[in-house]
Each structure stands twice: as structure tokens, then as C-alpha cells.
Amino acid sequence: MPTGFRSSSINLGLEQPIAQTTSAQTILSALLGKVRPSNNKGSGYNRGHIAPSADHTRNAANNRATFLMSNMMPQMPKLNRPVWRNLRKSRCN
């Protein structure tokens, strides 16, 4: 069941009011823009996987999905590189 808003229209300062059944994702994309890999470029953060690629190797489509931005979270390099890598290795062994 899709999530939608139940008013006749919503005015969020966009060029046109948003229809009553517009999803929250559509509204946020209109307000904030799409999330892209380049959004955190130069920020000092890495794009860390929430669900690791190595845990989704049953088929290629599932593995590719782990590289979508919806599966990324900004992480400090000191955490994402050595500490997180060591934690994943110990969990997989």
C-alpha cells in the first residue's frame, strides 16, 4: 500500500501544488533533489554500505542493488576503512 497524503493539494513552494496521493519519496525528491554519489564528494566522508555487498552474492541483481544510494550512509574514513572492515571480517569468519 503506497504512502500518500490525504489533502486536496499540498503547497510546498514548488511551481505547482502536489496531488493528494503523491508519495513522501516524490515530495522529498522535489524539495531536496535526487541523491547522487557526487553529493558527498569533498565532504570528508565515505559512502558506507548499510547492507554489505558481500552479504548479497546469491545473484547479480541483488548484489548490484547494494550499490544504490538508498543503501549508503556517510561514514568517517577512520571508521569505514579499518574498523568496519575488521568487524565485517570477524563476523564472516
Side-chain angles (χ1 to χ4, degrees):
M1 179 177 192
T3 303
F5 292 92
R6 298 270 186 239
S7 65
S8 58
S9 69
I10 300 171
N11 186 342
L12 297 173
L14 302 174
E15 291 180 18
Q16 297 178 0
I18 294 174
Q20 64 184 359
T21 57
T22 303
S23 72
Q25 179 180 353
T26 301
I27 293 170
L28 289 173
S29 292
L31 290 172
L32 304 174
K34 295 213 180 254
V35 177
R36 302 192 188 292
S38 60
N39 287 144
N40 71 329
K41 189 173 187 174
S43 69
Y45 288 93
N46 291 150
R47 292 184 310 267
H49 284 81
I50 298 168
S53 168
D55 289 354
H56 299 276
T57 58
R58 187 170 280 171
N59 63 56
N62 286 351
N63 188 264
R64 279 192 306 272
T66 68
F67 291 93
L68 295 173
M69 291 304 295
S70 57
N71 187 45
M72 299 295 164
M73 177 174 74
Q75 290 183 353
M76 295 177 65
K78 286 183 179 179
L79 172 67
N80 191 32
R81 293 176 185 161
V83 176
W84 197 248
R85 180 177 54 237
N86 292 339
L87 177 64
R88 282 193 308 251
K89 282 182 182 177
S90 69
R91 186 180 62 87
C92 293
N93 292 333

